Amino acid sequence: MQHYPALFEEAIRKNHAVFISAKCEVWYSGQVESYLPLGDRVILIKDDGVMVVHQPQGNNPINYLKPGATYSMTLNEGQLFLNGNNIKLKEFMDVKVQKIYAMHTQKLEDGQSIQVAGTEEDMAQMIMEKPSLIEAGFKPVAQEEQTKFGYIDVLGVDKKGILTVVECKRNQADFKAVEQLQRYVERLKESKGITEVRGIIAAPKIQSGADLMLKEKGFTFVAVKPPKHLERFNRNQKTLDFF
Amino acid sequence: MQHYPALFEEAIRKNHAVFISAKCEVWYSGQVESYLPLGDRVILIKDDGVMVVHQPQGNNPINYLKPGATYSMTLNEGQLFLNGNNIKLKEFMDVKVQKIYAMHTQKLEDGQSIQVAGTEEDMAQMIMEKPSLIEAGFKPVAQEEQTKFGYIDVLGVDKKGILTVVECKRNQADFKAVEQLQRYVERLKESKGITEVRGIIAAPKIQSGADLMLKEKGFTFVAVKPPKHLERFNRNQKTLDFF
DNA sequence: GGGGAGAGATGCCGC
DNA sequence: GCGGCATTTCTCCCC
């Protein structure tokens, strides 16, 4: 155990990432206070100060610190501690380590950003490009107009020229989506000084209760699925790699 | 590179966790489609099928698979691939590995649950135990009554005997909290067939706009901070460890 | 920095 | 399974 603190401190100093597999207890104090009894965990510390503590199961880290935290590892009378703290956010992590199974430190280089297709924004973009997905005669207005009235996904006019707010949801729309749509419609009526504004929810599906609420308020549901296709050059890249 | 697939497959077969540090590209297809260009990443695969892919910075994994996914590693004409798929959820991850810097596999044992203090539920519990935090004369009703009217944090009567809904927020309350409170109040009025029900938001602070909305609707804000103290035996445990 | 909203949100509980 | 809601939510964008 004696050599771990020196190895750890050197890795931190060099801005290396640190991977630790250990049997440990974990205390966290910050937004809340928490205690995790003794067990095996995987700990990852990144070069921006992020720390995640994972149990052997589960999607999410059981404990974590946000970017900007600093770390130290100390051995005191045979007891190993790993301490992290984010002074600005007043968050503290204390790990009492009973046994380190493995520790790996390494510089990681990565400047890449992920490309994602199928988000709500992609849905809005698709509707802007093909307004007939909403209904015949629907015409989106310029995108710059949108922000002036709030975070409206697509603003347009229907075939009769009535101002229409379209709220997109990439998954099933719920009653909160209906409330959100209503807020936008009310805001638009006040802002423009008009009495008639239509509201449309565009989503793959809608909850039955939300559909009732929608109809009560005089709004409309339109079934639209988010597009899930990355740009062609990526698809080709993947295809070429695989076949 | 040749020995990695055998090591990996054996680890998966034995239900070991797998840690990999690698230079790679990542494709994901499922809820959305995504592509992450070549760079250094840390990959963790847990024994329940969870996979997380981390870039050198940032709180969250850049890609992940949920519990139940299965994995294989293959070397084909000198090209290493790590593939994961969750058949039930129709989610797929493909990692094209250019270089493995390190790989560690190990059985992890952990059956512990985290204890957390300072959540919204803790706030509600604190108010149940000390109702004067809300106002003089406030009396909570039995906890069993709560669920019948929805997810009401604390239901009680004020000093005049008027039914009162308390909605707790552990952080600053916003206008959505006000809308939520209003839903509960409306639901209670209908359900009980009464016309007067009070609404109170208990939180450390409230947004100025939300406070306006609150007053418009005739509701009240009470400043309450969530309790952040773990049970005594844990505090003592920590104290004893540290001093 | 505050406010508003999305996220491949996740996770929990209750029906 | 759906529904409603909290989360140490996190993240992004805009004012």
Side-chain angles (χ1 to χ4, degrees):
Chain A
M1 298 285 265
Q2 304 94 305
H3 59 295
Y4 284 122
L7 284 176
F8 181 86
E9 301 282 353
E10 186 188 355
I12 294 294
R13 190 166 39 79
K14 289 184 176 172
N15 257 318
H16 287 199
V18 180
F19 161 84
I20 298 172
S21 169
K23 187 173 186 176
C24 59
E25 294 169 88
V26 186
W27 288 264
Y28 163 77
S29 177
Q31 308 285 320
V32 297
E33 286 198 352
S34 76
Y35 169 65
L36 182 64
L38 191 65
D40 292 344
R41 279 105 207 193
V42 165
I43 299 171
L44 175 64
I45 296 175
K46 305 193 191 187
D47 61 21
D48 61 349
V50 163
M51 173 191 196
V52 290
V53 180
H54 277 270
Q55 289 184 295
Q57 285 96 28
N59 267 303
N60 294 330
I62 189 68
N63 279 118
Y64 56 90
L65 287 177
K66 294 185 249 311
T70 57
Y71 298 89
S72 66
M73 185 181 278
T74 54
L75 187 62
N76 210 314
E77 297 182 9
Q79 180 57 60
L80 192 65
F81 277 97
L82 169 58
N83 302 97
N85 64 71
N86 191 320
I87 300 291
K88 280 193 178 178
L89 301 176
K90 293 180 185 167
E91 296 188 301
F92 308 91
M93 193 89 72
D94 301 302
V95 183
K96 184 180 175 185
V97 182
Q98 186 172 103
K99 181 168 174 50
I100 288 190
Y101 300 117
M103 179 164 140
H104 173 73
T105 75
Q106 177 196 351
K107 180 70 186 153
L108 296 177
E109 307 273 4
D110 184 6
Q112 300 296 335
S113 295
I114 197 167
Q115 302 165 28
V116 180
T119 63
E120 190 173 301
E121 191 184 339
D122 292 328
M123 280 184 76
Q125 191 62 38
M126 180 177 69
I127 290 167
M128 294 289 286
E129 290 167 6
K130 196 180 173 188
S132 63
L133 286 170
I134 296 301
E135 59 181 30
F138 176 72
K139 293 211 185 306
V141 304
Q143 208 164 352
E144 289 86 337
E145 292 280 342
Q146 297 183 29
T147 55
K148 288 171 62 180
F149 312 103
Y151 299 85
I152 294 174
D153 289 328
V154 180
L155 184 64
V157 291
D158 70 6
K159 61 185 173 191
K160 294 182 181 172
I162 299 171
L163 201 58
T164 301
V165 179
V166 180
E167 174 60 29
C168 300
K169 291 296 165 192
R170 66 176 304 282
N171 288 320
Q172 184 172 250
D174 58 16
F175 74 87
K176 286 185 181 176
V178 182
E179 287 181 349
Q180 194 180 341
L181 179 61
Q182 189 180 22
R183 275 203 308 277
Y184 296 154
V185 169
E186 299 296 333
R187 205 176 300 173
L188 259 186
K189 285 181 182 171
E190 287 178 25
S191 152
K192 294 268 189 180
I194 50 181
T195 57
E196 194 174 16
V197 174
R198 290 184 58 201
I200 293 177
I201 283 185
K205 47 184 179 167
I206 186 168
Q207 286 180 4
S208 54
D211 199 28
L212 280 177
M213 194 189 306
L214 195 76
K215 285 176 171 55
E216 275 177 18
K217 297 178 187 299
F219 299 142
T220 315
F221 169 74
V222 176
V224 180
K225 285 183 184 174
K228 287 188 188 174
H229 303 292
L230 284 171
E231 288 73 26
R232 191 166 305 276
F233 82 95
N234 285 326
R235 297 291 294 174
N236 286 346
Q237 198 168 345
K238 184 176 183 183
T239 304
L240 286 171
D241 289 337
F242 276 76
F243 299 101
Chain B
M1 298 284 265
Q2 305 94 304
H3 59 297
Y4 284 121
L7 284 177
F8 181 86
E9 302 281 354
E10 186 188 355
I12 293 294
R13 190 165 40 78
K14 290 184 177 173
N15 258 317
H16 287 200
V18 180
F19 162 84
I20 299 171
S21 169
K23 186 172 188 177
C24 58
E25 295 169 87
V26 186
W27 289 263
Y28 162 78
S29 176
Q31 307 286 318
V32 297
E33 286 199 352
S34 76
Y35 169 65
L36 182 64
L38 192 65
D40 292 345
R41 278 105 207 193
V42 165
I43 299 170
L44 176 64
I45 296 175
K46 304 194 191 186
D47 62 21
D48 61 348
V50 163
M51 173 190 194
V52 290
V53 180
H54 277 271
Q55 288 184 295
Q57 285 98 27
N59 267 304
N60 294 329
I62 190 67
N63 278 119
Y64 55 90
L65 287 177
K66 294 185 251 306
T70 57
Y71 298 89
S72 65
M73 185 181 278
T74 54
L75 187 62
N76 210 315
E77 296 181 9
Q79 179 57 59
L80 193 64
F81 277 97
L82 169 58
N83 302 97
N85 63 72
N86 191 320
I87 301 291
K88 280 193 179 180
L89 301 175
K90 292 179 186 169
E91 295 189 301
F92 307 90
M93 193 91 73
D94 301 301
V95 183
K96 185 180 175 185
V97 182
Q98 186 172 102
K99 182 169 173 49
I100 288 190
Y101 301 118
M103 178 163 141
H104 173 74
T105 76
Q106 176 195 350
K107 180 70 186 154
L108 295 178
E109 305 273 4
D110 184 6
Q112 300 296 335
S113 295
I114 197 168
Q115 301 165 29
V116 180
T119 64
E120 192 173 299
E121 191 185 337
D122 292 328
M123 282 184 75
Q125 191 61 38
M126 180 177 68
I127 290 168
M128 294 287 286
E129 290 167 6
K130 196 181 172 186
S132 64
L133 286 169
I134 295 301
E135 60 182 27
F138 176 72
K139 293 210 184 308
V141 303
Q143 208 165 351
E144 289 85 339
E145 292 280 342
Q146 295 185 32
T147 55
K148 288 171 61 180
F149 312 103
Y151 300 84
I152 294 174
D153 290 327
V154 181
L155 184 64
V157 291
D158 70 5
K159 60 184 173 192
K160 293 182 183 173
I162 300 171
L163 202 56
T164 302
V165 179
V166 180
E167 173 60 29
C168 300
K169 290 294 164 193
R170 64 177 306 282
N171 287 319
Q172 183 173 252
D174 57 16
F175 74 86
K176 286 184 182 177
V178 182
E179 287 181 347
Q180 196 179 340
L181 179 62
Q182 189 179 22
R183 276 201 307 276
Y184 296 153
V185 168
E186 299 296 333
R187 206 174 301 175
L188 259 187
K189 284 181 184 172
E190 286 178 27
S191 151
K192 293 269 191 181
I194 50 181
T195 57
E196 194 175 16
V197 174
R198 290 185 59 201
I200 293 177
I201 283 185
K205 48 183 178 168
I206 186 168
Q207 285 181 5
S208 54
D211 200 28
L212 281 177
M213 195 189 305
L214 195 75
K215 285 177 172 52
E216 276 177 18
K217 298 178 187 297
F219 300 142
T220 315
F221 169 74
V222 176
V224 179
K225 285 182 185 174
K228 286 188 189 176
H229 302 293
L230 285 172
E231 288 72 26
R232 190 168 306 275
F233 83 95
N234 285 327
R235 298 290 293 172
N236 286 347
Q237 197 167 347
K238 186 175 182 181
T239 306
L240 286 170
D241 289 337
F242 277 77
F243 298 102

